[in-house]
Amino acid sequence: MVRIKFYQVIIFLAFLVSILQYSSVVINSIIAGKSVYWQLTDDMLKSSGVMRYVKDIYNLFIGLLWVFTLKLRKLPASIKLTIISYFLWLLSLIMIGIIVFLFSNTPLPLLIPGFRWLLLLHTGFGLFILTLELIYLSNQTDALPFPLIFLLLIINLSVTYYQYVSAGFPPFARFRLPGLYGNGGTLGTAAVGFAIVGLSYNISKKILLIYLIICWLLAGFSGSRFSLFAISICIIAILLFIGYESLSFRGFMGYLVVFALLLLASSSYLYDFIVKLAGRGDLLMAQKGGRLQLILFSIKKLFDAP
């Protein structure tokens, strides 16, 4: 029982510290009537003081804590192999980074952000392993009371809506807002995170549908096309479950076939709708300097390597 409470606390803190990091700066800008587009300015980020590093402190604490509290012997062999493989990969990555740093005269300030990103990855993997451990050892799937996570979502939406109002009601999904985060991209990612966590709860699917629609609105305020697509997929999944709950098994199979055909027929229209809603061009073809272009560039370089 103590283990479950411990897990609930660290998951709640993961959502909470991401909101608290720049919350004072964002609320002060709303009170002052300042419109913030896309991301907080450097001066705003610096004015957050020590709270700017609260997420790094959390990552460092949890990154060390999950390693020492892990019950490796009680986990299935497949999870043990995953954990061992992860640590071998992480160690090799650190060694490669240090070797490159030593022999390429890389400035020290560039090494610190590299370790910071690895720490973020390490914490995320640790939370994933703790989730598996909770399910296997405690038979518990609801890691956090749903009203708490719903409350954080409503706070996010309320602050972002105030930003939207202070900006003079600009076109939805085109005026990219940061919400309680450093930039609009982070807000969109947070909306997807809220949606994924919401899907893990054993609650009424109709309530969950309302919850996901709120996540979709939050993603829309961020202007993130990927987040809008991802949460749209979650909403479609819930609609399928609602169909399953309201029909017999035979009826559901027919419903599933019809729904799949309609989805295939309307997918291009849904894609065009979200692209036009965001107003920043095609998601795949217009990503100049974006993540997709960087991934494709990296793959090309790997194939071109001697």
Side-chain angles (χ1 to χ4, degrees):
M1 192 66 181
V2 175
R3 184 62 173 174
I4 297 174
K5 289 181 179 179
F6 163 73
Y7 181 79
Q8 289 176 351
V9 169
I10 63 174
I11 290 294
F12 179 74
L13 287 176
F15 281 93
L16 186 62
V17 297
S18 64
I19 292 175
L20 291 178
Q21 190 174 20
Y22 301 116
S23 59
S24 60
V25 177
V26 170
I27 292 173
N28 288 336
S29 68
I30 293 175
I31 295 174
K34 297 180 180 179
S35 299
V36 181
Y37 173 73
W38 172 234
Q39 64 182 4
L40 304 181
T41 64
D42 290 339
D43 292 336
M44 295 175 71
L45 294 175
K46 292 177 181 178
S47 65
S48 62
V50 70
M51 291 300 295
R52 185 178 183 180
Y53 304 101
V54 66
K55 191 163 59 178
D56 294 316
I57 295 172
Y58 169 85
N59 288 334
L60 181 61
F61 176 71
I62 300 300
L64 294 174
L65 189 64
W66 79 263
V67 175
F68 292 106
T69 59
L70 183 65
K71 298 178 181 178
L72 189 61
R73 293 183 179 180
K74 297 183 179 181
L75 292 174
S78 58
I79 298 180
K80 291 181 182 178
L81 180 61
T82 301
I83 295 173
I84 294 172
S85 300
Y86 161 76
F87 276 109
L88 290 175
W89 172 82
L90 183 66
L91 182 61
S92 62
L93 199 62
I94 292 174
M95 294 300 297
I96 292 173
I98 292 176
I99 291 172
V100 172
F101 169 74
L102 293 175
F103 290 93
S104 63
N105 296 322
T106 304
L108 181 61
L110 293 180
L111 184 65
I112 297 175
F115 278 112
R116 184 172 177 264
W117 278 106
L118 285 178
L119 178 62
L120 181 63
L121 172 69
H122 179 68
T123 302
F125 184 80
L127 292 177
F128 166 70
I129 294 299
L130 286 173
T131 303
L132 295 179
E133 187 177 354
L134 189 74
I135 294 172
Y136 277 103
L137 302 184
S138 305
N139 196 25
Q140 174 78 17
T141 56
D142 290 346
L144 188 69
F146 183 74
L148 285 178
I149 202 71
F150 208 163
L151 177 63
L152 292 181
L153 178 64
I154 294 299
I155 292 173
N156 254 307
L157 183 66
S158 300
V159 172
T160 309
Y161 179 73
Y162 274 110
Q163 289 180 338
Y164 181 70
V165 172
S166 65
F169 297 96
F172 181 73
R174 297 195 178 191
F175 194 85
R176 308 191 68 182
L177 300 169
L180 283 166
Y181 303 92
N183 59 65
T186 306
L187 175 63
T189 304
V192 174
F194 274 105
I196 293 173
V197 170
L199 287 172
S200 68
Y201 287 94
N202 185 23
I203 59 174
S204 167
K205 296 300 181 293
K206 293 180 180 179
I207 294 176
L208 186 55
L209 183 61
I210 296 173
Y211 173 89
L212 290 175
I213 291 173
I214 295 175
C215 292
W216 192 89
L217 290 173
L218 197 64
F221 283 128
S222 76
S224 171
R225 294 164 294 180
F226 168 78
S227 300
L228 286 168
F229 277 117
I231 298 174
S232 296
I233 293 172
C234 294
I235 292 175
I236 291 171
I238 294 304
L239 289 174
L240 279 172
F241 275 109
I242 292 175
Y244 174 77
E245 290 177 344
S246 60
L247 299 173
S248 64
F249 181 76
R250 181 179 298 178
F252 173 70
M253 293 304 294
Y255 171 83
L256 183 62
V257 172
V258 172
F259 196 95
L261 292 175
L262 289 174
L263 179 61
L264 289 174
S266 62
S267 59
S268 62
Y269 295 100
L270 177 65
Y271 180 85
D272 291 338
F273 168 74
I274 294 180
V275 167
K276 290 178 181 178
L277 187 67
R280 289 185 287 115
D282 188 276
L283 176 61
L284 300 177
M285 303 304 293
Q287 281 284 84
K288 294 181 179 179
R291 294 181 182 89
L292 180 60
Q293 187 186 45
L294 291 174
I295 291 172
L296 294 176
F297 177 78
S298 301
I299 293 175
K300 183 179 181 302
K301 285 294 184 182
L302 287 174
F303 280 104
D304 291 344

